[in-house]
Amino acid sequence: NLFGEGSMWQVVYIAPNSMEAKKIKQLLEQEGFLVEIQATTQKAKNTGIGSFEIKILHSEILEAIEVLHANGY
């Protein structure tokens, strides 16, 4: 699994639902980042309701945080 334990991915933001997570993913991808979304619970995964982790390559975390802050996150 590319995004599994021990990987080079790090949580940059936790979105409150899947719709917000997708918006953030799109924003970061438009800025050239590789992005993964992961539900924090099985319920969130099944329903889209609940927290979602936005993951970025560890090496790009500071740049991604700057983009999020510049866009009101």
Side-chain angles (χ1 to χ4, degrees):
N1 183 340
L2 185 60
F3 305 107
E5 292 299 316
S7 71
M8 297 298 292
W9 295 83
Q10 185 172 345
V11 175
V12 69
Y13 191 83
I14 299 178
N17 55 58
S18 64
M19 186 178 293
E20 190 71 16
K22 289 174 186 174
K23 283 175 49 179
I24 294 167
K25 181 180 185 203
Q26 183 178 25
L27 167 69
L28 291 170
E29 286 178 339
Q30 286 174 347
E31 294 291 329
F33 296 98
L34 293 176
V35 184
E36 174 68 9
I37 297 174
Q38 183 174 7
T40 59
T41 66
Q42 190 63 41
K43 179 182 177 185
K45 184 177 182 179
N46 292 341
T47 66
I49 300 168
S51 299
F52 286 77
E53 296 177 338
I54 312 298
K55 295 184 178 186
I56 298 289
L57 286 173
H58 178 74
S59 60
E60 299 179 334
I61 197 82
L62 295 177
E63 293 89 349
I65 289 170
E66 287 179 12
V67 168
L68 290 173
H69 283 261
N71 286 275
Y73 292 100

